[in-house]
Amino acid sequence: MNLLDGKVAVITGAGTGLGRSYARLLARQGAAVVVNDYAQAAAEATVEEISNAGGRAAAAVADVGSVGSGEAILQASLDAFGRVDILVNNAGILRDKSLLKMTEEDWDAVLRVHLKGTFCVTQPIFRHMKERGGGVIVNTTSTAGLRGKFGQTNYGAAKAGIWGFSNSLAQEGLKHGIRVWTIAPAAASQLTDGVVSEEYKQVFTADRVAPVLLYMVSDLSGAQTGKTLLAGGGYVSEIRMEIGPGFVPGEQFTVTDLVAAIDAGKVLMPERALSYVNAYGPTTAKA
């Protein structure tokens, strides 16, 4: 028996890259997959590949950056398969430039697809899942948003926003049986061409991330919700926010007291080592 027999999954940005890898794996595990992409040819190619392998899939061609598009994607799933059990918000774009070279269009385009797009697709499907009594949602963040990355203030802001969105959504989903995960994937794709090294491309493939996504959306992960997993190059780890030991001042609190507490190691935490993902070299975004 497959892990996702009888389930219906909607995956945004599934015409290429990570989304395509997710769609193929979930289909192999028995899910009917709604392949969303803004490019019709890419969406149909993924659908054809799944169908030729004996799976079930349907295309939903739409730009995720409007609520109307989110509703259209939901309707495409209802028309094809009658419901949605799994939503994977994966669609994304890059406009890598340092802050001083970034245009307003560069900022708006990235925030629209990543952050607004996650809201626009999630809202109607979350409502549908609530009415059906449950489901699983996986949103996509990035170490660029959680740690920062040169040349990606727009992308980092969007991905940090998605992390906050997901943490709050997980709490809202508790009483409705809707589990919410966040994944921080590291994988080379068409989006990262010219941005990552050749060594990175060899190690960080989409197919080495997809099994983590499968774990999240399947019953293997039980009732877990509100968690974030970093996945890339065969490395998997939970990401959590850390809070230092802290300092409680007396009634007469001065900056001198704060400096003394910092010097004593009570406020600022020591620097952490670079993540495994960053070990394969920096991006090549120009200053």
Side-chain angles (χ1 to χ4, degrees):
M1 182 175 179
N2 296 314
L3 290 174
L4 301 178
D5 282 343
K7 301 293 186 180
V8 177
V10 170
I11 305 174
T12 68
T16 59
L18 274 167
R20 177 171 170 265
S21 182
Y22 295 160
R24 292 185 302 178
L25 180 56
L26 268 56
R28 289 198 300 270
Q29 286 296 322
V33 180
V34 176
V35 177
N36 161 256
D37 204 278
Y38 74 94
Q40 183 172 352
E44 291 179 349
T46 300
V47 169
E48 182 177 6
E49 183 178 5
I50 291 171
S51 299
N52 289 343
R56 296 184 298 154
V61 179
D63 172 1
V64 297
S66 71
V67 172
S69 291
E71 292 172 343
I73 293 169
L74 169 61
Q75 190 60 51
S77 185
L78 296 178
D79 291 344
F81 305 115
R83 66 181 190 280
V84 180
D85 303 292
I86 297 163
L87 168 62
V88 181
N89 282 304
N90 166 76
I93 62 171
L94 291 177
R95 296 287 188 273
D96 284 9
K97 290 181 183 176
S98 63
L99 179 66
L100 296 183
K101 291 186 175 181
M102 187 173 296
T103 66
E104 185 175 4
E105 191 278 331
D106 293 328
W107 177 271
D108 288 346
V110 170
L111 270 288
R112 181 179 185 274
V113 173
H114 289 277
L115 185 54
K116 186 181 178 185
T118 296
F119 161 75
C120 290
V121 178
T122 299
Q123 188 182 55
I125 292 180
F126 186 92
R127 184 179 295 114
H128 168 76
M129 288 180 173
K130 174 185 174 182
E131 293 170 353
R132 284 188 50 81
V136 184
I137 297 173
V138 181
N139 297 322
T140 306
T141 187
S142 169
T143 54
L146 304 180
R147 293 184 60 98
K149 200 165 191 178
F150 182 89
Q152 292 190 338
T153 54
N154 51 1
Y155 181 76
K159 289 307 191 183
I162 289 171
W163 191 61
F165 174 87
S166 301
N167 292 338
S168 295
L169 190 68
Q171 296 184 31
E172 293 188 17
L174 283 173
K175 64 181 180 180
H176 305 304
I178 302 172
R179 299 192 296 121
V180 180
W181 289 87
T182 313
I183 189 169
S189 68
Q190 290 178 335
L191 289 181
T192 62
D193 281 348
V195 178
V196 297
S197 68
E198 289 302 317
E199 183 181 10
Y200 183 102
K201 293 177 183 179
Q202 295 300 314
V203 175
F204 291 89
T205 63
D207 288 344
R208 300 186 81 181
V209 175
V212 180
L213 186 281
L214 174 60
Y215 168 79
M216 290 172 158
V217 302
S218 73
D219 291 341
L220 293 174
S221 55
Q224 293 184 89
T225 189
K227 293 182 178 293
T228 301
L229 293 182
L230 169 67
Y235 176 86
V236 185
S237 178
E238 183 178 2
I239 296 176
R240 298 181 181 179
M241 179 181 290
E242 287 186 320
I243 298 177
F247 166 60
V248 181
E251 292 183 5
Q252 301 300 318
F253 178 46
T254 68
V255 69
T256 302
D257 298 324
L258 177 59
V259 171
I262 291 173
D263 290 343
K266 295 180 179 179
V267 178
L268 300 180
M269 292 183 288
E271 289 294 324
R272 298 294 190 251
L274 288 177
S275 71
Y276 178 81
V277 172
N278 290 339
Y280 282 85
T283 65
T284 57
K286 296 179 174 59

